Amino acid sequence: MSAIALTTDTSILTAVGNDYGFDQIFVRQMRALGQPGDIAIGLSTSGNSPNVVAATEAAAEMGLITVGLTGGDGGKLGSKVRYHLNVPHKSSARVQEIHIMVGHILCALTDDMMKGL
C-alpha cells in the first residue's frame, strides 16, 4: 500500500506556487498522482484552506474517495468530502492535537489490516 504527503516535496511546492499560485500546490500534485479509488485525506484546521479545498474538489472529480479532517464549523471542506471528521472546537491547537491522534489511529488500523493479508 503506497501513500504520499503532498506537503513534503519543496521543489514542486515552490514551482507550482510561483507559476500557478499557492492555491494550486496540491491540485497539480493530485491530478498527477491520484487514481480513481485512491483515498485523499485533506486536513484543514479551519476547513477553509483554499489549497486543500481545491485539491479535494479535484480528487472528487477524479473519482478518489475524499476524507476531510476539520475544526470549528467544518468550513468549506466539510461540505466537499464524502467522509467528514470535524473537531468542533475554536482552538487550533486542540483541533490539531485531535487530527494527529486520528492520523495515528488510521496508521494503527492500517497496520492491523495489513497483518491479516
Side-chain angles (χ1 to χ4, degrees):
M1 180 180 300
S2 60
I4 186 169
L6 301 183
T7 57
T8 60
D9 185 337
T10 55
S11 297
I12 192 76
L13 296 177
T14 302
V16 173
N18 287 339
D19 294 346
Y20 297 95
F22 190 71
D23 290 359
Q24 296 297 304
I25 61 171
F26 301 134
V27 171
R28 302 282 296 186
Q29 294 181 79
M30 186 66 66
R31 293 202 185 282
L33 301 169
Q35 299 292 319
D38 285 352
I39 301 171
I41 302 173
L43 284 80
S44 173
T45 304
S46 68
N48 292 314
S49 303
N51 50 18
V52 176
V53 172
T56 300
E57 291 172 332
E61 290 169 10
M62 296 169 56
L64 280 72
I65 298 165
T66 56
V67 179
L69 278 66
T70 64
D73 65 3
K76 295 175 185 174
L77 184 61
S79 65
K80 304 280 183 187
V81 294
R82 183 185 301 180
Y83 300 103
H84 181 211
L85 176 63
N86 182 53
V87 181
H89 204 282
K90 293 180 182 181
S91 168
S92 293
R94 299 299 82 80
V95 171
Q96 292 168 2
E97 288 166 353
I98 299 301
H99 287 178
I100 290 168
M101 181 184 68
V102 168
H104 285 291
I105 291 169
L106 289 174
C107 287
L109 291 171
T110 302
D111 283 345
D112 289 347
M113 182 196 74
M114 297 299 286
K115 288 176 188 171
L117 297 179

